[in-house]
């Protein structure tokens, strides 16, 4: 093999290794309910009446946890299931407010 072919093969192998590492790293991401509760409190406590639009809430979760839109939607559902937030139409509010 020529040096050029080896260089191309090495570049492809490095790119494949980076893609596989990122996939495995993101696949094993865990979210703890305590951190989610604190994040929800932090996000919604600064808002008027502890309410905000659902799309803004999802964006705030995405920014806080550095995650994808799909994961922020999962976190929103988890917060609703655990009783941290209440969703009424397009508004999300803290439970107890």
């Amino acid at each position: 093999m020529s040096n050029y072919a080896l260089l191309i093969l090495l570049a492809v192998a490095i790119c494949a290794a980076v893609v596989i590492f990122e996939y495995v790293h993101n696949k094993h991401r865990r979210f703890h309910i305590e951190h989610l509760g604190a994040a929800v409190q932090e996000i919604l406590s600064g808002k008027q009446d502890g309410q905000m639009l659902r799309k803004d809430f999802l964006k705030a979760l995405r920014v806080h946890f550095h995650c994808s839109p799909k994961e922020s939607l999962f976190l929103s559902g988890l917060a609703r299931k655990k009783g941290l937030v209440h969703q009424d139409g397009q508004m999300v509010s803290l439970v107890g407010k």
Side-chain angles (χ1 to χ4, degrees), residues 11-67:
V12 168
I14 290 173
C15 288
V18 168
V19 167
I20 290 170
F21 173 76
E22 285 294 318
Y23 174 77
V24 169
H25 177 71
N26 288 334
K27 185 92 171 146
H28 296 297
R29 184 178 290 186
R30 304 268 189 249
F31 298 106
H32 299 285
I33 194 69
E34 299 85 21
H35 296 144
L36 179 61
V40 166
Q41 285 281 57
E42 181 182 321
I43 291 168
L44 290 174
S45 64
K47 300 298 177 185
Q48 182 181 9
D49 298 331
Q51 291 185 340
M52 66 189 309
L53 285 172
R54 181 175 179 261
K55 67 176 186 171
D56 295 335
F57 179 68
L58 291 174
K59 185 175 182 180
L61 281 176
R62 216 174 24 234
V63 168
H64 187 274
F65 284 103
H66 307 286
C67 62

